[in-house]
Amino acid sequence: MDRELLKGHLPVLILGVLREKPLHGYAICREIQSRGASELKLKEGTLYPLLYRLERRGHIKSFWETAPSGKQRKAYKITKSGIKMIESHKTEWKILTSLFSTFLGEGWVKQ
Amino acid sequence: MDRELLKGHLPVLILGVLREKPLHGYAICREIQSRGASELKLKEGTLYPLLYRLERRGHIKSFWETAPSGKQRKAYKITKSGIKMIESHKTEWKILTSLFSTFLGEGWVKQ
DNA sequence: TTAACATATATTGTGTAACATAATATGATG
DNA sequence: CATCATATTATGTTACACAATATATGTTAA
């Protein structure tokens, strides 16, 4: 999948994962990898900065958890603002969809 | 509409306009403006470089036409490659849609 | 057992490309 | 002259890709 097309959408996909349960970065990476299959590969170097941005903006909150190995690792939990962001992204998505309908015809979205 | 979300999609919207009929840059601008309503404002400084890119990649072809005023102006026509690009973008769109379904649930796209 | 290696986890730096914004230029027109 | 139609160019912001690095732990092979 063309990387440009993900711009702006990617964070919401992450939020979608975190909405189910809190996860630490590396686990998010694997989760995305396994679900997104070949369509969506996400290297750590892409994910982590993205997580920092999301936290800086208040959409997720990090906390420390103890791995089975005893090692500390940083995990992330979605916030109310994050949930709200998912919702408002849905609105944006509809706008985008309607733009495509307008410029490329009904057939674009349906079927 | 959040500008990030348009990345990669914008050129296809332009191609959608040009698929109907050839237009010169400024006219494309007005066309987009009038159809895209408030959701999509497009300054010349954004449009023209975009047109150059599209031409460089062979998706549109420019030619000179004479305005009613007698002035020469550059107009653009979509190419076969451009049409093909619209089609393949539709595929990408479906992938994106399915990613959202996967990560945010069925309800994302429908309704 | 120790050395080598792999895996889990996180960080950081650098590059690319799209799009935004704004400034500028020119001819036409009222 | 002011405004409109039309095009160009320069500069900035930001996301995301990619690659390199760091460290702790767990596993395998000599």
Side-chain angles (χ1 to χ4, degrees), chain A residues 5 15 17 20 22 30 34 42 56 68 72 84 86 88 91 108:
Chain A
L5 302 179
L15 288 177
V17 173
E20 298 167 13
R30 284 193 326 247
S34 77
L42 196 53
R56 178 158 25 93
Q72 291 296 99
K84 203 179 286 181
I86 294 184
S88 58
T91 306
W108 181 263

Side-chain angles (χ1 to χ4, degrees), chain B:
Chain B
M1 141 136 272
D2 176 6
R3 60 231 194 79
E4 283 308 315
L5 302 179
L6 278 176
K7 296 253 172 104
H9 299 285
L10 195 45
V12 184
L13 297 177
I14 311 279
L15 288 177
V17 173
L18 288 179
R19 192 176 54 171
E20 298 167 12
K21 60 170 183 279
L23 284 176
H24 59 98
Y26 195 68
I28 296 177
C29 224
R30 284 193 325 247
E31 189 69 19
I32 298 258
Q33 219 68 268
S34 78
R35 290 207 226 167
S38 49
E39 311 306 354
L40 181 55
K41 28 204 144 197
L42 195 54
K43 299 277 183 56
E44 290 92 349
T46 300
L47 177 66
Y48 288 107
L50 210 157
L51 290 173
Y52 303 153
R53 274 202 303 279
L54 282 173
E55 179 161 35
R56 176 156 30 92
R57 294 174 189 175
H59 302 313
I60 60 178
K61 181 86 183 69
S62 66
F63 61 95
W64 291 100
E65 70 174 17
T66 308
S69 63
K71 198 181 171 185
Q72 293 295 98
R73 62 190 180 189
K74 212 193 292 182
Y76 296 88
K77 182 179 174 335
I78 194 171
T79 64
K80 273 176 195 163
S81 153
I83 304 230
K84 203 179 285 183
M85 192 199 175
I86 294 184
E87 283 315 307
S88 59
H89 193 80
K90 200 184 277 191
T91 306
E92 296 280 294
W93 176 264
K94 280 178 191 153
I95 295 176
L96 189 56
T97 302
S98 82
L99 281 176
F100 273 112
S101 281
T102 303
F103 288 98
L104 289 152
E106 280 299 317
W108 181 263
V109 189
K110 325 248 170 170
Q111 164 71 357

Side-chain angles (χ1 to χ4, degrees), chain A residues 5-111:
Chain A
L5 302 179
L6 279 175
K7 296 253 170 106
H9 300 283
L10 196 44
V12 184
L13 297 178
I14 310 279
L15 288 177
V17 173
L18 289 178
R19 191 175 56 170
E20 298 167 13
K21 60 169 182 279
L23 286 176
H24 59 100
Y26 194 68
I28 297 177
C29 225
R30 284 193 326 247
E31 189 70 19
I32 298 258
Q33 218 67 269
S34 77
R35 288 208 228 168
S38 49
E39 311 307 354
L40 182 54
K41 28 205 144 201
L42 196 53
K43 298 277 182 57
E44 290 91 349
T46 300
L47 177 65
Y48 288 107
L50 209 156
L51 289 173
Y52 303 153
R53 273 202 303 279
L54 281 172
E55 178 160 34
R56 178 158 25 93
R57 293 175 189 175
H59 302 313
I60 61 180
K61 181 84 182 67
S62 66
F63 61 95
W64 290 98
E65 72 176 13
T66 309
S69 63
K71 199 178 169 186
Q72 291 296 99
R73 61 191 181 188
K74 212 194 289 182
Y76 296 89
K77 181 181 175 334
I78 195 170
T79 65
K80 274 177 194 160
S81 153
I83 305 234
K84 203 179 286 181
M85 193 200 176
I86 294 184
E87 284 315 307
S88 58
H89 193 81
K90 200 183 279 192
T91 306
E92 296 280 294
W93 176 264
K94 281 179 190 151
I95 295 176
L96 189 54
T97 301
S98 81
L99 280 176
F100 274 112
S101 283
T102 303
F103 287 98
L104 289 152
E106 279 299 317
W108 181 263
V109 189
K110 325 250 170 170
Q111 159 74 356

